[in-house]
Amino acid sequence: MRRVLLFASLGWLAAGAAFAQNWPTRPITLVIPFAPGGGVDASARIQAQALGDLLGQPIISENMGAAAGMVGSARVAKGEPDGYLFLIGNTGTHAYSQSVNKKPLYNAATDFTPVGLVSESPRILDVRKDLQVANLQEFVAYAKANHAKMQFGSAGVGAGTHLPCVLLNNAIGVEITHIPYRGEGPALQDLIAGRIDYMCNTIQTGAAQAKAGAVKGIAVMAAKRSSVIPDLATSGEQGVAGVEASVWNAFFFPKGTPDAIVRKMSKAVSDMLDNPTLRKRLEDLGLEIVPPERRGPEYLSKFLPEEIERWGKVVRAAHITPE
């Protein structure tokens, strides 16, 4: 009996190895857990096309924008671990969510198979174009005087556009009503229309709208200026320290995806990021490409629990009530 089980196990492993070696043999779905039109959506679609070319199969981008990215992420967490469904997650879906929500839809550290980090993206503080402020110091003064009637928007509670604004509010000592949306795109549209007062946008969309005059760009919330809007000073340069809030982006498979598939995808991701043309397209969106030593699944497996703990402390310090 033991010999039969041993041969069966060896046969299963051989079949699994052959399956992984031939992967992919059909289109792959990339879940983008945010509404169309946001910064993550734009960069994810560029990467999906490039990865599809490298892997020899089309990658279909599917938006599932709800619950600050948790609904789409949960779909992948519960998906078949066959290599044909993966996720672009970020600090919001995989770090903020674990503390902001009383009952997260998944355990970010254990319900996924990490593929690797891709990029980091600073936040930009944008305000409605008719708000009577021209820089961060004027914004701080205005917020302190008018905080009771102000509103800020985000892609949802715990999203990558939410906690950076919480950090800012806490740093300047104001409590302002938060309006969560089903994605960055809808929130930005309301900011452009003047229905909310400010957002901590992704640099990709926030800088573009600021340069177009649809909103006012007030500060880049990062340690250094962004190449996509180099004339806009950082929050630190304008006298507000401790609100640097770059958000990372990473790819994940469902838990249990074969290691050979993970390695093949990880290599494709790294090769993609080493392509000068692709890099420039992402950098033109304001993304900073992570170096090779931070791209692998081992690094992400170690990095993710540290990020969950780091942002958990921020959530607790800011007295955000889990929902």
Side-chain angles (χ1 to χ4, degrees):
M1 177 62 73
R2 288 183 180 178
R3 185 173 297 178
V4 171
L5 290 175
L6 175 60
F7 283 131
S9 297
L10 290 175
W12 182 86
L13 289 172
F19 171 78
Q21 185 177 8
N22 294 330
W23 175 90
T25 59
R26 56 185 171 86
I28 304 167
T29 296
L30 170 62
V31 174
I32 305 170
F34 302 103
V40 175
D41 180 58
S43 64
R45 289 176 181 276
I46 291 172
Q47 293 174 82
Q49 181 177 352
L51 284 172
D53 291 342
L54 286 169
L55 293 169
Q57 289 289 340
I59 293 182
I60 301 165
S61 297
E62 181 179 305
N63 293 89
M64 291 190 70
M70 281 204 302
V71 171
S73 299
R75 184 195 167 198
V76 175
K78 298 171 183 176
E80 289 294 323
D82 58 5
Y84 291 96
L85 182 70
F86 75 124
L87 170 78
I88 184 164
N90 67 4
T91 316
T93 62
H94 279 65
Y96 301 165
S97 66
Q98 303 300 284
S99 298
V100 170
N101 299 277
K102 185 178 295 184
K103 294 182 179 180
L105 299 180
Y106 47 81
N107 184 315
T110 61
D111 289 347
F112 299 86
T113 298
V115 175
L117 285 173
V118 176
S119 59
E120 293 177 321
S121 170
R123 306 294 89 168
I124 177 173
L125 173 62
D126 285 331
V127 304
R128 56 184 169 84
K129 61 185 177 183
D130 59 345
L131 195 70
Q132 298 302 304
V133 301
N135 54 50
L136 188 54
Q137 290 299 332
E138 291 181 7
F139 173 83
V140 171
Y142 182 92
K144 288 183 175 180
N146 297 278
H147 60 91
K149 62 181 182 180
M150 292 179 71
Q151 297 178 328
F152 75 95
S154 80
V157 175
T161 50
H162 176 209
L163 287 193
C165 272
V166 172
L167 279 178
L168 175 63
N169 296 344
N170 194 51
I172 66 179
V174 296
E175 291 188 13
I176 295 177
T177 300
H178 171 226
I179 307 297
Y181 291 79
R182 291 174 63 89
E184 181 187 7
L188 183 55
Q189 287 304 309
D190 267 10
L191 180 65
I192 293 170
R195 288 188 279 268
I196 56 176
D197 296 294
Y198 65 101
M199 279 185 67
C200 296
N201 281 313
T202 59
I203 199 73
Q204 299 98 311
T205 52
Q209 295 298 334
K211 289 191 286 187
V215 298
K216 287 184 187 177
I218 298 299
V220 174
M221 300 171 67
K224 62 181 181 179
R225 296 193 186 197
S226 171
S227 61
V228 300
I229 190 164
D231 293 335
L232 184 61
T234 68
S235 48
E237 289 176 315
Q238 297 187 64
V240 179
V243 295
E244 293 78 14
S246 289
V247 169
W248 49 263
N249 301 290
F251 288 120
F252 299 88
F253 275 126
K255 179 181 178 180
T257 300
D259 184 66
I261 290 177
V262 176
R263 298 289 169 188
K264 196 169 183 179
M265 177 64 88
S266 181
K267 184 180 185 305
V269 169
S270 190
D271 289 347
M272 171 189 71
L273 297 177
D274 285 337
N275 182 296
T277 302
L278 187 284
R279 286 181 70 98
K280 186 175 188 307
R281 291 185 70 187
L282 295 180
E283 289 169 350
D284 285 347
L285 291 175
L287 294 173
E288 298 177 2
I289 307 302
V290 300
E293 62 269 18
R294 297 182 63 205
R295 295 177 193 166
E298 292 84 5
Y299 180 89
L300 184 52
S301 294
K302 178 177 180 296
F303 175 75
L304 184 56
E306 295 172 351
E307 281 290 281
I308 292 171
E309 176 59 22
R310 174 189 172 219
W311 285 103
K313 291 179 180 178
V314 172
V315 169
R316 292 188 291 272
H319 306 294
I320 297 174
T321 302
E323 298 195 351

